Amino acid sequence: MFHVWVRAALTTVIVLLVVAACGGKEPSQRQAFIAFLQTRVLDVTGTRVPELTPEEKAKFGHYANDYSIITQFHAGMNANVTRPNNELAKITALRTVGEIVEQRKQIADAKAQMAKLSAALDAEQRKADAVHAKLKHPEDVKPVFDAAYAKLVTVPAEAYRAVFPAIDNMFGSSLKVSDYVQTHRNLIDVDGTTLRVADPATKKELGALLDQLTADSEKVNAAQRAMQEVVHGE
């Protein structure tokens, strides 16, 4: 009975020592993490996502795992949204009616990709938001981390999300121009950058389609500028 009591007492002491040791490190880890978020994320223009060094991971303790929610979101975004979107940028750069007609298939394929990119973005954000919602941060950490999360996850996701419908509309307008030209080949002469239309009614109809394409292209440019301002702070 005595030996059992001694073992129980020793176990209690060990547990208390472990708790005390953890408690001793946590305040310094917390303060280091807050300082990192403030100086390396919130005080910096744009949505640059600094990677933690091994030393910083050790310095932040379990808070390093919380920060990984942000870095994992951006890794998923780069792989499933940003890189595919950059490929589509080659299609958005089409400038002449001749190019639009010649590359109709590529435009149609790119338009079909937009829904996939939007779904991929939604999936990455839902995954990050679900983990973020479960975090239980101390009162001094929570507002700083939430602000950093909003800056590096919520805001850029919304900026990307605003670009997608604009690009989708522009692709739709491009397809209408391509299809109209193909249907009225006997009335429309396309020679490189030169476009000749003799029939007044056809010229008016094609002009309206081109005006819509120009308007949609301007909306894409505006959305992309807004996104660049968020991402790069410029």
Side-chain angles (χ1 to χ4, degrees):
M1 186 70 176
F2 174 75
H3 294 298
V4 172
W5 181 87
V6 170
R7 283 197 299 271
L10 288 174
T11 301
T12 301
V13 170
I14 291 170
V15 169
L16 289 174
L17 288 173
V18 170
V19 171
C22 293
K25 290 182 179 180
E26 199 279 337
S28 62
Q29 292 170 345
R30 185 167 73 244
Q31 292 306 313
F33 187 55
I34 291 172
F36 166 81
L37 293 176
Q38 188 64 56
T39 60
R40 299 282 302 283
V41 175
L42 297 178
D43 292 346
V44 177
T45 57
T47 55
R48 296 169 180 82
V49 184
E51 290 286 340
L52 298 185
T53 64
E55 293 75 18
E56 286 172 330
K57 289 180 180 179
K59 190 176 181 182
F60 300 157
H62 71 276
Y63 291 111
N65 294 329
D66 298 344
Y67 182 71
S68 70
I69 299 169
I70 294 173
T71 57
Q72 288 170 6
F73 168 79
H74 279 270
M77 277 276 291
N78 289 336
N80 301 316
V81 180
T82 304
R83 288 173 194 157
N85 184 60
N86 289 342
E87 288 299 312
L88 296 184
K90 299 173 184 177
I91 304 299
T92 64
L94 297 179
R95 289 291 178 265
T96 69
V97 172
E99 290 175 334
I100 291 172
V101 173
E102 290 171 3
Q103 299 194 40
R104 187 197 186 286
K105 183 181 184 305
Q106 291 90 326
I107 296 171
D109 291 344
K111 189 176 190 306
Q113 278 291 105
M114 295 310 302
K116 296 179 181 178
L117 290 183
S118 182
L121 172 61
D122 291 343
E124 293 297 334
Q125 187 174 10
R126 278 197 305 270
K127 183 165 57 177
D129 286 348
V131 181
H132 177 222
K134 294 178 182 178
L135 295 179
K136 303 296 182 184
H137 281 146
E139 290 184 2
D140 53 350
V141 175
K142 181 174 173 53
V144 182
F145 184 86
D146 287 352
Y149 183 88
K151 182 177 181 179
L152 298 184
V153 176
T154 308
V155 172
E158 290 303 319
Y160 257 107
R161 195 169 279 114
V163 173
F164 291 155
I167 295 177
D168 186 68
N169 288 339
M170 188 193 68
F171 284 153
S173 296
S174 298
L175 291 174
K176 288 179 180 178
V177 168
S178 178
D179 291 344
Y180 187 88
V181 172
Q182 290 284 35
T183 303
H184 298 80
R185 269 296 190 183
N186 59 323
L187 300 172
I188 301 172
D189 181 26
V190 180
D191 183 14
T193 59
T194 303
L195 185 67
R196 287 184 288 269
V197 185
D199 178 63
T202 302
K203 186 175 183 178
K204 182 179 180 180
E205 290 173 351
L206 179 57
L209 293 175
L210 291 173
D211 287 344
Q212 185 61 55
L213 176 56
T214 299
D216 289 340
S217 298
E218 290 173 352
K219 290 177 182 177
V220 170
N221 292 335
Q224 289 178 332
R225 284 194 299 270
M227 184 179 69
Q228 290 299 318
E229 189 174 324
V230 168
V231 174
H232 300 294
E234 55 188 34

